[in-house]
Each structure stands twice: as C-alpha cells, then as structure tokens.
C-alpha cells in the first residue's frame, strides 16, 4: 500500500526496502519521497543539515512545504567526525528550545553518517525522545549509518562511546546528493558495500565492481539497495546488537586500531579495507576461510582504489588502538571472521599473538599468492 501511495505521489520510482518497523527508500527525488512519507504524520518539522549539502536541505524544505507540512526552521552544521560530540548535541537542543519544539515535532537530518548519528542522538535525548527521520547524503550513510537506529557521539576516550538506539520514522537515501560526493568519500562507501557483500550477498561483489567510482547517482541505486538490504536483514534479526548484529563489525576491529595509530588521519574506508584483509588472514590461518574467496574480496577493494596494507603505521600503536575498541567483552577483544562469501561468524575470541601476526601482515604488501584466485 505504501509502495502504491509513493508511486502515485512521486514522479520517479523510489526503491522501498522492507523488514524494519519504518520505511527505507532509495530515491532520485528523495525530497518528494520524504515529504510524501512525512505528510501523513501530521508533525511540524525542523531540519538539521550538513552545510556541505545546503542545497539538498533546501530541496527537502521546499518539498515539505509543497505538501503543506510546516517547517519550523533549519539549522546548518559543520561536517565530519568532529561534529560527533556532546557540544553539538547541546547546540541542537538549544536550537530546538529556541524554536519552541515540542513532542509533536519531527527532526529531519540531511547529511552523512556523522550528521545523522549526532542529530539522531539529539532527537533521542530531547524531551526524552522526539521523532526523527534521516536523509543520508553519503554512500556510507545510505548503506550503513542511516539504517538501524544507532545514534551517538564520540568521547575523547574513544569513538561512539555515548549513544542510544533510537529508530527514525523514515529513511530516504538522497541519490541526487551523490553528484557532489567526492571520490574519497565514495571509496569509504565502497569499503562498506564490500563488507555487506562478504556478510550477506556474495554477488554484490561483482555488482559493485561494475560501477565506476565516478558513475552518476542512478548507477549506484541497485548496489546501494543490495548493501542496505544486508544491513536491514541483520538489524531486523538483532536490533539491539545483543548477538548477530556484531557481524557488521567485519574489518572494523582492526580498522579502529589502524585509525587510532594514524592519529585518525587515515580514512575510515581505507582502515576498514585493510581491516577486512586482516580478518581474512586470521580466518585463513584458522582454516575457516578460503584463499580464493579472500583474494576475491581483495580484488574488489583494489579495484575501488582502496589500500590493502599500511606500511607507515606502528604495529604496537595499532595493537593499542584495537585494545581501546569498545567491542570488548570482559577485557577480551572479539572479532567477526569470514567463513565463506555471504557468511561470517561474530564474537570470535582472538589471542594477542594471532592479532599481532595479523597486524604485522597488514602493514606489509600482500604476497602474490595472497592475491591469486
Ligand atoms: N549509526 C550507525 O549504525 C553507523 C554505521 C556506520 C557508520 N556510522 C558513522 O558514520 C560516520 C561516517 O559517515 P560518513 O562517511 O557519511 O561521514 P560524514 O558524515 O562525515 O560525511 C563525509 C564527508 O562528506 C561530506 N558530505 C556529505 N554528503 C555530501 C554530499 N552529498 N556531497 C558532498 N559532500 C558531502 C560531509 O560534509 C563530510 O565532510 C562515522 O562517524 C561512523 O561512526 C554510523
Ligand atoms: Zn564503518
């Protein structure tokens, strides 16, 4: 029914994903789709956006107004990881109070994963929780961060240490925004798409290989949908990350160590790419992951221009960084390891020796054998 309603109201056909309590759409005319979804809720809207996508935020506001949804105001924010902090949440709360927002309001976040994480958390904590919706404008946001209701901020002691599970009322990936997304940011998204392929959709590797990194938005629609479907499936099975949702951490445990050791100068996508190689090496050593599948994954990462090794990092700093990862259970680091394409095992205890060996390999160029498939 929702599908029919959207098709009737929107010029282009949005792709609608089901499986969670709220609709997730991927749309060329995301503002119109978002407006169609929100107009039925009878709420006044406040828009918080990343200043880099100001014109997209304006398009959302215009589409809402065209559907007679009242927009109480909009709030531009700086961008990137540095906005994921408590001060920004407090700033958003101040703005909401100034605009006399109440429980009937809806906070719409237009931006990448950092923006949706922080705005979602402001929504979760304002008046003990107000409704929000997300319009991701980065590949990472569309396939990962915007989906699943995890919101939060970083602390000086570590990433994502404070947050809440707070589901949005709707998620509409803004395909048109991809036009301005820089190549480096597209690469970060591809690392997450490759991760989704390894976790739950092997054929997605071929599909993502076929999209040129600078391809126009329409070319991305189906790979975004496939990767997002993997995430939706995992979140639906374990919404509060009590068990299997941890599978989404593939490549991230070592990845956080690399990010830490680089002083957070390394891009997240690069860290995750090498982290996936490290998880693959660990799994191969244990005899649970094949050489051919490992090499297949590396091929997609290489094709996207992602690195496979990080020669300039200090292995001990990486080790220390992994130890700071919040995914520790009782002091023990847990890994997600690949078993075969489309299947991973989460919560695998790894010894310090195994981890040091994997880190050492990740700082070295892969031997030809590792890449043979
Ligand atoms: N909540 C979750 O479940 C979840 C999952 C994965 C990642 N994350 C979080 O997401 C964050 C990373 O998200 P991200 O990669 O989207 O980062 P981001 O939000 O910082 O966006 C990356 C950069 O792209 C810019 N940008 C955004 N959209 C643009 C566009 N359309 N055109 C041009 N520039 C644009 C931003 O201003 C920023 O400089 C991390 O903090 C990570 O922890 C959260
Ligand atoms: Zn990630």
């Amino acid at each position: 029914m929702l599908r029919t309603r959207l098709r009737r109201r929107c010029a282009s056909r949005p792709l609608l994903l089901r499986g969670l309590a709220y609709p997730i759409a991927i749309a060329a005319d995301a503002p119109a789709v978002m407006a169609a979804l929100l107009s039925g809720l009878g709420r006044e809207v406040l828009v918080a956006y990343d200043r880099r996508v100001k014109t997209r935020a304006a398009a959302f506001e215009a589409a809402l107004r065209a559907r007679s949804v009242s927009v109480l105001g909009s709030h531009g924010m700086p961008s990137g990881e540095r906005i994921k902090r408590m001060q920004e949440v407090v700033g958003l709360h101040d703005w909401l109070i100034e605009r006399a927002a109440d429980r009937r309001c809806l906070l719409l976040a237009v931006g990448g994963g950092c923006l949706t994480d922080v705005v979602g958390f402001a929504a979760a904590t304002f008046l003990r929780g107000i409704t929000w919706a997300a319009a991701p404008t980065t590949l990472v946001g569309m396939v990962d961060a915007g989906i699943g209701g995890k919101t939060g901020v970083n602390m000086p002691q570590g990433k994502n240490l404070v947050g809440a599970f707070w589901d949005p009322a709707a998620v509409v990936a803004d395909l048109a925004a991809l036009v301005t997304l820089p190549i480096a940011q597209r690469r970060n998204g591809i690392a997450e798409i490759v991760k989704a392929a390894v976790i739950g959709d092997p054929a997605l590797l071929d599909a993502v290989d076929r999209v040129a990194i600078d391809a126009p938005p329409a070319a991305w629609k189906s790979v975004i949908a496939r990767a997002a479907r993997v995430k939706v499936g995992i979140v639906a099975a374990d919404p509060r990350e009590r068990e299997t949702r941890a599978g989404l951490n593939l490549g991230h445990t070592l990845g956080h160590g690399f990010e830490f050791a680089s002083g957070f100068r390394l891009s997240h996508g690069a860290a995750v790419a090498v982290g996936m190689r490290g998880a693959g090496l660990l799994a191969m050593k244990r005899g649970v992951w094949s050489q051919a599948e490992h090499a297949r994954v590396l091929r997609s990462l290489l094709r996207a221009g992602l690195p496979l090794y990080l020669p300039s990092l200090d292995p001990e700093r990486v080790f220390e960084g992994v130890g700071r990862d919040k995914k520790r259970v009782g002091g023990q680091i847990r890994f997600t390891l690949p078993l075969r394409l489309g299947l991973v095992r989460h919560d695998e205890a790894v010894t310090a020796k195994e981890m040091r060996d994997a880190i050492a390999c990740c700082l070295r160029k892969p031997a030809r054998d590792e890449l043979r498939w």
Side-chain angles (χ1 to χ4, degrees), residues 33-338:
V33 174
M34 184 64 93
L37 288 170
L38 300 190
S39 61
L41 301 182
R43 289 174 185 273
E44 293 175 314
V45 174
L46 295 113
V47 183
Y49 63 91
D50 181 329
R51 285 193 200 117
R52 289 230 166 96
V53 291
K54 189 171 181 194
T55 53
R56 299 310 302 155
F60 279 89
E61 270 190 63
L64 287 164
R65 291 206 165 100
R67 282 213 171 273
S68 309
V69 176
S70 126
V71 179
L72 293 185
S74 63
H75 182 71
M77 296 174 67
S79 64
E81 201 64 41
R82 70 203 162 101
I83 65 158
K84 280 184 55 170
R85 46 184 198 147
M86 274 301 186
Q87 290 95 310
E88 294 294 339
V89 178
V90 173
L92 278 161
H93 288 163
D94 280 340
W95 171 65
L96 290 167
I97 293 167
E98 186 193 300
R99 292 285 150 159
D102 62 26
R103 282 224 179 89
R104 289 162 304 174
C105 291
L106 181 146
L107 187 54
L108 171 62
V110 183
C114 291
L115 190 287
T116 52
D117 273 11
V118 74
V119 173
F121 187 54
T125 44
F126 186 66
L127 302 177
R128 300 194 175 82
I130 61 168
T131 309
W132 76 294
T137 60
T138 61
L139 266 185
V140 171
M142 295 177 195
V143 302
D144 199 342
I147 302 168
K150 265 196 193 179
T151 69
V153 293
N154 303 327
M155 294 290 282
Q157 296 89 335
K159 230 176 111 89
N160 299 329
L161 286 182
V162 175
F165 285 102
W166 191 244
D167 283 341
V171 178
V172 183
D174 184 10
L175 270 185
L178 291 181
V179 169
T180 55
L181 193 71
I183 297 293
Q185 296 300 338
R186 291 174 182 232
R187 274 198 190 107
N188 288 337
I190 293 178
E192 304 291 358
I193 293 171
V194 170
K195 178 190 83 173
V198 179
I199 294 174
D201 182 359
L204 178 53
L205 286 178
D206 288 338
V208 75
D209 284 358
R210 283 193 294 267
V211 183
I213 191 127
D214 56 354
W220 289 96
K221 190 171 178 180
S222 102
V223 293
I224 291 169
R226 288 177 78 148
R229 255 185 219 114
V230 172
K231 173 123 191 203
V232 166
I234 289 183
V235 170
D238 179 20
R240 295 292 177 263
E241 196 169 329
R242 300 203 206 288
E243 263 189 59
T244 45
R245 186 167 174 169
L248 290 166
N249 297 332
L250 179 71
H252 282 63
T253 313
L254 280 173
H256 288 159
F258 299 137
E259 287 180 295
F260 173 81
S262 75
F264 294 92
R265 274 186 286 274
L266 188 66
S267 78
H268 182 65
V272 170
V274 184
M276 279 192 278
R277 177 181 169 222
L281 289 168
L282 267 164
M284 274 205 295
K285 258 202 157 162
R286 289 182 173 195
V288 296
W289 171 238
S290 78
Q291 154 72 47
E293 288 180 301
H294 181 70
R296 174 66 194 85
V297 175
L298 300 192
R299 197 176 68 131
S300 286
L301 298 173
L302 268 180
R303 201 187 163 281
L306 286 157
L308 296 183
Y309 66 108
L310 300 164
S312 60
L313 297 186
D314 170 1
E316 276 312 303
R317 287 288 285 169
V318 178
F319 188 79
E320 186 193 336
V322 174
R324 288 176 174 233
D325 194 279
K326 74 175 187 306
K327 282 138 203 132
R328 271 176 308 187
V329 179
Q332 169 92 58
I333 303 292
R334 304 281 163 159
F335 270 70
T336 295
L337 297 181

